[in-house]
Amino acid sequence: MNKIFIIISFVLFSLSASAQQFAQFNTGSLYDSFENPSQRAFIPDSSRAIAFNFFVPNFDANLYVTGNAQRALKSRAFTGNYDVSSLAPPGRGGLNHFNVGGNNYWIMLKFYTNLSGDVEMGFSAQSRVESKGLLTDESVRFFSGPETFPKDYYENVFNNHYKLQIYDQLSYTYRERIDKQLAIGFKLSYLSGVQYAKIDVVNSAVQFNRIQDINGEESADVYMQGRYYHSYVPGRLDGRDFLPNFRNPGASITMGASYRTEDGITIQGNVKDLGFIHWSKRSLITDFNNTVTINGINTAHREDSIYNTSYKLFTGNGTLTGFNTKTNAKAELSVTKNYWFDDEKTIRYFPTVIAQKELFYSGFTGAWVNSVQKNNLVGTLTATYDDYKLFNLGLQFMVKSPNAEFFIGTERLVNTGRFTLAALNNTGQINHVGNYTGADIFFGFSLKFGRVIEHPMNASYIPMGEKGFFGRLFGRIFKTYR
């Protein structure tokens, strides 16, 4: 599985546990409050004052691949053979987009600290995976063997682009209600880089040598020009590398604000994960421009030979140096409103419209989230559409009371089902080629404990706190009181 970069991405999905999952917007869950820091996690007179996930991972993980290579990659991943029937003929330059995201909260701990201002503070530890790239049809075809290439020479058929970034994130979050309409929050994070890899091939060519040697093996001369980045990892990557350290330090900030209008519409804006990582000076940058001979491309061990020889080309004559990378920051704007279906207010419908834009890449996604709550049960139907013209439907099931919550769902329902069937070796789903192949799953759990948050008029415990820092600053500037 580790012989081709796109298949590495499939493996990352199964191992990681970044993408924001939209179904949690405005649910008031602990996960929602860490991802959208102006959102509250506590309800005065109902909730207890401490929220914790008790080390149960709260995660979302997702992947997708578009293009002609879907069938070939699925058949290789789940049956061991490449079905190249859907690939464009060699030399046509077919491209396949892929994206992998993972966000796993190992620890989420939050405190309700001040009734005057609804002040909340919390700490979290999480791990993130960010990966995306472009892969040519010919690159996938090359791993299947030389017999499907009718010509002996091709140019610019391996111009691939790939990026992977894995890091830990230790965060402090703060949320405060400024007045009855406005709430703000932020999350400050220390980042600890785990691994980074990036390949950009700008020129390439391949010359097939059809004459077999004495062992019956064919070879190919492959030329590639481009740049390769790779972070320093002491030895093979293992679980110890996911422990926070200062080898690859970084920082990020998430900022958000929520405003509730007089007619009950809540407008929320966020700038998320705006940050950087400085990778160790023992990391590697290579400007490669060379030709290598790959032997045994017609044999069963061709994947090993292609991978190992290409890796030598990428890493040869590299320079040890540090470098900086950006995190995949996003800007979001959402609008929501509550609708009650009964006088007792036991059935609530709260739709949310969301627009999300990646700040440093071209990615844009629009989402329409439809949630219905009946007492402690919440069901959510999500529709999303992005700039790759991919339309998705998702479902979420959630159990939420003032002091306990559990949720599970997916935002790519149909494709996740097809991907699961393909993994179970369902031939029809392996052969299915749609707009994309992908999967998505998210899961969360937390509990609240401690004293109940009570207003002074009917409290068994009377808090003596003052307004929060931003509330006091706001009052001094605008001379307001509450």
Side-chain angles (χ1 to χ4, degrees):
M1 292 289 182
N2 65 343
K3 313 303 186 299
I4 185 169
F5 296 128
I6 188 64
I7 294 181
I8 292 177
S9 298
F10 277 84
V11 175
L12 282 173
F13 166 75
S14 64
L15 294 180
S16 69
S18 93
Q20 165 75 29
Q21 26 102 346
F22 298 110
Q24 280 294 294
F25 266 70
N26 298 302
T27 59
S29 68
L30 185 60
Y31 185 98
D32 181 26
S33 72
F34 275 99
E35 288 293 290
N36 304 297
S38 66
Q39 289 281 15
R40 70 179 186 180
F42 300 90
I43 305 173
D45 297 319
S46 297
S47 300
R48 297 185 179 274
I50 304 173
F52 188 37
N53 70 325
F54 289 91
F55 304 104
V56 176
N58 283 232
F59 69 89
D60 64 275
N62 63 87
L63 69 89
Y64 66 80
V65 179
T66 69
N68 300 324
Q70 297 176 54
R71 180 179 297 174
L73 292 174
K74 284 193 293 185
S75 62
R76 173 61 184 92
F78 302 131
T79 69
N81 300 305
Y82 291 94
D83 180 353
V84 299
S85 59
S86 294
L87 297 176
R92 295 285 182 88
L95 290 176
N96 304 273
H97 297 260
F98 67 90
N99 189 90
V100 178
N103 179 17
N104 180 39
Y105 279 93
W106 304 102
I107 299 173
M108 294 189 298
L109 178 64
K110 182 164 276 194
F111 305 89
Y112 190 93
T113 63
N114 198 325
L115 192 62
S116 178
D118 280 345
V119 177
E120 301 177 9
M121 292 187 290
F123 303 90
S124 63
Q126 64 193 110
S127 298
R128 288 184 180 270
V129 176
E130 301 169 354
S131 182
K132 60 176 57 185
L134 292 172
L135 184 72
T136 65
D137 283 3
E138 292 86 354
S139 298
V140 179
R141 187 183 291 273
F142 191 43
F143 280 90
S144 71
E147 60 274 4
T148 61
F149 288 85
K151 299 180 182 179
D152 290 338
Y153 180 76
Y154 296 89
E155 290 186 349
N156 291 323
V157 291
F158 300 145
N159 291 7
N160 300 314
H161 303 272
Y162 164 81
K163 189 193 81 168
L164 167 69
Q165 183 164 257
I166 306 174
Y167 59 92
D168 295 323
Q169 187 169 347
L170 303 178
S171 304
Y172 166 78
T173 186
Y174 180 94
R175 185 260 183 190
E176 181 182 339
R177 178 175 56 85
I178 301 300
D179 56 31
K180 292 182 178 181
Q181 293 178 293
L182 177 65
I184 63 174
F186 63 83
K187 182 167 74 170
L188 299 176
S189 302
Y190 168 76
L191 307 183
S192 175
V194 176
Q195 187 173 26
Y196 182 85
K198 183 180 180 183
I199 297 173
D200 289 306
V201 180
V202 295
N203 289 301
S204 62
V206 59
Q207 173 70 54
F208 290 98
N209 304 313
R210 309 286 184 176
I211 300 176
Q212 299 181 354
D213 61 16
I214 59 175
N215 296 316
E217 296 184 358
E218 298 179 14
S219 64
D221 296 325
V222 175
Y223 163 76
M224 283 190 278
Q225 178 188 5
R227 173 167 282 199
Y228 173 67
Y229 297 82
H230 195 276
S231 63
Y232 167 71
V233 178
R236 296 177 62 91
L237 186 69
D238 58 30
R240 291 173 296 181
D241 293 301
F242 284 86
L243 297 176
N245 56 67
F246 296 99
R247 186 167 62 239
N248 305 302
S252 71
I253 184 171
T254 295
M255 301 171 288
S258 300
Y259 183 82
R260 182 179 176 87
T261 66
E262 293 182 357
D263 53 359
I265 297 174
T266 300
I267 303 170
Q268 181 185 169
N270 295 301
V271 174
K272 293 182 174 178
D273 303 310
L274 182 62
F276 72 96
I277 300 175
H278 177 74
W279 298 91
S280 164
K281 63 182 180 180
R282 300 177 68 180
S283 300
L284 181 72
I285 298 179
T286 304
D287 289 310
F288 53 87
N289 185 6
N290 204 353
T291 300
V292 293
T293 299
I294 303 176
N295 298 309
I297 60 173
N298 61 327
T299 66
H301 62 265
R302 62 182 176 274
E303 290 180 333
D304 286 324
S305 184
I306 294 171
Y307 178 82
N308 294 331
T309 306
S310 299
Y311 185 76
K312 291 179 181 178
L313 186 152
F314 295 146
T315 58
N317 300 317
T319 301
L320 295 179
T321 183
F323 55 87
N324 298 321
T325 62
K326 301 180 292 289
T327 54
N328 189 15
K330 301 180 180 70
E332 292 177 345
L333 182 66
S334 69
V335 179
T336 188
K337 185 176 181 179
N338 290 330
Y339 298 92
W340 296 97
F341 289 163
D342 60 339
D343 294 334
E344 292 77 18
K345 292 189 175 182
T346 61
I347 303 177
R348 177 173 66 120
Y349 170 56
F350 52 108
T352 304
V353 177
I354 307 166
Q356 182 189 84
K357 177 68 178 70
E358 296 182 4
L359 295 181
F360 304 122
Y361 304 99
S362 60
F364 177 85
T365 304
W368 183 27
V369 183
N370 298 272
S371 297
V372 177
Q373 182 172 4
K374 167 68 172 177
N375 295 324
N376 293 334
L377 300 179
V378 183
T380 302
L381 174 67
T382 303
T384 61
Y385 188 77
D386 61 30
D387 56 344
Y388 288 119
K389 299 181 179 180
L390 302 181
F391 176 77
N392 290 287
L393 288 175
L395 284 178
Q396 174 184 247
F397 171 72
M398 185 173 190
V399 179
K400 188 175 190 317
S401 70
N403 294 305
E405 59 200 31
F406 165 83
F407 60 87
I408 188 170
T410 176
E411 292 197 344
R412 295 185 173 98
L413 180 64
V414 175
N415 292 82
T416 299
R418 288 173 176 166
F419 187 90
T420 303
L421 288 174
L424 297 174
N425 203 9
N426 181 297
T427 304
Q429 294 305 323
I430 291 175
N431 292 330
H432 178 270
V433 179
N435 290 335
Y436 76 98
T437 295
D440 175 284
I441 186 172
F442 55 85
F443 172 91
F445 166 83
S446 70
L447 294 174
K448 296 184 179 72
F449 60 96
R451 64 173 178 84
V452 176
I453 304 165
E454 298 175 307
H455 280 90
M457 295 297 294
N458 59 355
S460 58
Y461 169 83
I462 301 177
M464 302 302 292
E466 300 177 353
K467 293 181 180 180
F469 170 78
F470 289 108
R472 296 193 300 271
L473 180 62
F474 187 88
R476 291 192 184 101
I477 295 174
F478 297 101
K479 309 299 182 183
T480 59
Y481 302 91
R482 65 171 185 260

